[in-house]
Amino acid sequence: MTLQGKTGLITGASRGIGRAIALAFAREGANVAVIYAGSQQAAQHVCAQAAEYGVQARAYQCDVADFDQVKETVQAVQKDLGGVDILVNNAGVTRDGLVYTMKEADFDAVLDTNLKGAFHLIKHCYPIFVKKRAGKIINISSVSGLMGNGGQANYSASKAGLIGLTKSVARELAGRGICCNAIAPGFIDTDMTAKIDKDDNQLVGMIPLKRMGRPEDVANLAVFLAGSGADYITGEVIRVDGGLAM
């Protein structure tokens, strides 16, 4: 178990990619803090599944866009699970629309959760990592942040910003032995992509591997980046997109 004795804090962990990462970490021996915004029942179910691997798993409701809530949540995780070794910023929302019709509130809401939320978690976990001179930060970006996407100016901007944040934090913390990387998923079969026709030949035709990805495809990379095998990798943006953005 490559993450034995570690504690991972994963935002947006009650479903989709976050859930897959939390369970993959647990399978590898890590205790997990399941951070969620909406369904307590879903978060508790993830914890119950994680606990089957013999690790500690706790759920914490938190709006990552709220600076003070994040601070309190990180403190609670420290108290309950003994610290944080791995931070995964996965929480994300969409409010799609053309720029011409997009409301300012919809632009702000996406940036506040997807980008500013990651900043909040990094800021409050920062002293934990610096004190132990170790830690892994994994930010879940998107190929939309690399390519742009019509009708998603807010989402694409937030994910592109997350890449810039990743590289800046990686440079800032590298001297302390702390690694910060980003994963850029493509079309992954989750609730967020539920409106997409999975059998759309035009969509599948855009993907060289000719299929949508699974949450586990992203989780497998997150496990690697969280482990000691990735100790000399920092500031990277790794796509998990079936070749979509190559």
Side-chain angles (χ1 to χ4, degrees), residues 83-107:
V84 179
D85 301 288
I86 309 153
L87 167 63
V88 181
N89 285 306
N90 168 73
V93 298
T94 57
R95 299 285 189 275
D96 294 350
L98 299 176
V99 170
Y100 179 72
T101 59
M102 185 176 290
K103 297 177 181 177
E104 181 184 9
D106 289 337
F107 188 90

Side-chain angles (χ1 to χ4, degrees), residues 73-144:
T73 300
V74 171
Q75 290 173 341
V77 173
Q78 277 189 282
K79 180 180 178 182
D80 296 339
L81 299 178
V84 179
D85 301 288
I86 309 153
L87 167 63
V88 181
N89 285 306
N90 168 73
V93 298
T94 57
R95 299 285 189 275
D96 294 350
L98 299 176
V99 170
Y100 179 72
T101 59
M102 185 176 290
K103 297 177 181 177
E104 181 184 9
D106 289 337
F107 188 90
D108 289 346
V110 172
L111 269 290
D112 284 348
T113 295
N114 298 8
L115 180 56
K116 198 173 180 182
F119 162 73
H120 290 161
L121 267 299
I122 292 170
K123 179 174 177 63
H124 292 306
C125 288
Y126 197 111
I128 303 172
F129 294 149
V130 168
K131 185 176 181 179
K132 65 176 69 176
R133 298 185 70 85
K136 297 293 179 68
I137 301 169
I138 303 167
N139 296 321
I140 307 300
S141 180
S142 169
V143 293
S144 293

Side-chain angles (χ1 to χ4, degrees), residues 18-102:
R19 172 184 175 276
I21 292 173
L23 294 180
F25 280 8
R27 184 186 66 234
E28 294 300 324
N31 299 321
V32 290
V34 174
I35 311 301
Y36 70 99
S39 173
Q40 181 182 24
Q41 182 177 2
Q44 293 292 359
H45 183 58
V46 174
C47 288
Q49 290 179 295
E52 293 177 3
Y53 293 105
V55 302
Q56 294 186 67
R58 297 207 181 193
Y60 303 84
Q61 187 170 28
C62 177
D63 176 4
V64 299
D66 187 311
F67 183 88
D68 291 329
Q69 273 193 44
V70 171
K71 182 178 181 179
E72 292 169 3
T73 300
V74 171
Q75 290 173 341
V77 173
Q78 277 189 282
K79 180 180 178 182
D80 296 339
L81 299 178
V84 179
D85 301 288
I86 309 153
L87 167 63
V88 181
N89 285 306
N90 168 73
V93 298
T94 57
R95 299 285 189 275
D96 294 350
L98 299 176
V99 170
Y100 179 72
T101 59
M102 185 176 290

Side-chain angles (χ1 to χ4, degrees), residues 165-212:
L165 178 65
T166 297
K167 291 178 179 291
S168 294
V169 170
R171 287 187 180 277
E172 194 168 314
L173 290 176
R176 307 293 182 93
I178 300 155
C179 299
C180 182
N181 294 288
I183 299 175
F187 289 112
I188 307 296
D189 192 0
T190 65
D191 291 348
M192 190 174 282
T193 60
K195 295 180 182 179
I196 297 175
D197 182 358
K198 310 299 189 297
D199 298 318
D200 185 340
N201 291 328
Q202 185 175 0
L203 169 64
V204 173
M206 295 166 54
I207 305 170
L209 282 180
K210 304 303 180 189
R211 68 171 178 86
M212 292 185 70

